[in-house]
C-alpha cells in the first residue's frame, strides 16, 4: 500500500469476495432452509408423540421450540441481505 495522504497512514484495500462467496452464501441459505424445515418437523413429531402418550401440559414446550426454530430461520435468512447491505468491507 502507498501513503496517499502524506501522513504516514497506510490505507487498506477493499475486500471483494467474488462469485465464489455468492455461491457459498446460496448453499448456506439452502442448508439453513432445510434445517428450519427439519426443526419444524421435529417439533411437530414431539407434539404428536406427547399427544399420543396423553401427557398433559406440554404446550409451552412446543411453542418455545417452535419459537426458537423460527428465530433461527429468520436469523439465517437475513444474514445474506445484511452482508449485501453493508457493501464491500473496507478498513
Amino acid at each position: 500500500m502507498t501513503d496517499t495522504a502524506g501522513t504516514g497512514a497506510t490505507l487498506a484495500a477493499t475486500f471483494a469476495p467474488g462469485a465464489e462467496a455468492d455461491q457459498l452464501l446460496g448453499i448456506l441459505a439452502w442448508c439453513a432452509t432445510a434445517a428450519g424445515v427439519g426443526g419444524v418437523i421435529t417439533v411437530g413429531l414431539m407434539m404428536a408423540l406427547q399427544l399420543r402418550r396423553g401427557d398433559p401440559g406440554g404446550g409451552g414446550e412446543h411453542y418455545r421450540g417452535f419459537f426458537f426454530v423460527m428465530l433461527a430461520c429468520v436469523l439465517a435468512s437475513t444474514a445474506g441481505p445484511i452482508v449485501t447491505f453493508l457493501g464491500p468491507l473496507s478498513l
Side-chain angles (χ1 to χ4, degrees):
M1 307 293 157
T2 60
D3 182 12
T4 59
T7 61
T10 303
L11 301 176
T14 301
F15 175 69
E20 292 86 12
D22 289 336
Q23 183 180 9
L24 180 63
L25 279 176
I27 291 171
L28 290 175
W30 277 105
C31 290
T33 302
V37 169
V40 170
I41 289 173
T42 302
V43 169
L45 283 172
M46 296 299 291
M47 192 181 303
L49 288 173
Q50 190 170 18
L51 180 65
R52 175 91 172 146
R53 283 190 304 228
D55 294 338
E61 286 182 35
H62 304 305
Y63 290 123
R64 185 173 54 238
F66 185 72
F67 171 74
F68 284 130
V69 168
M70 289 298 116
L71 183 67
C73 288
V74 167
L75 181 68
S77 65
T78 58
I82 288 174
V83 169
T84 303
F85 173 76
L86 292 176
L89 302 175
S90 61
L91 298 174

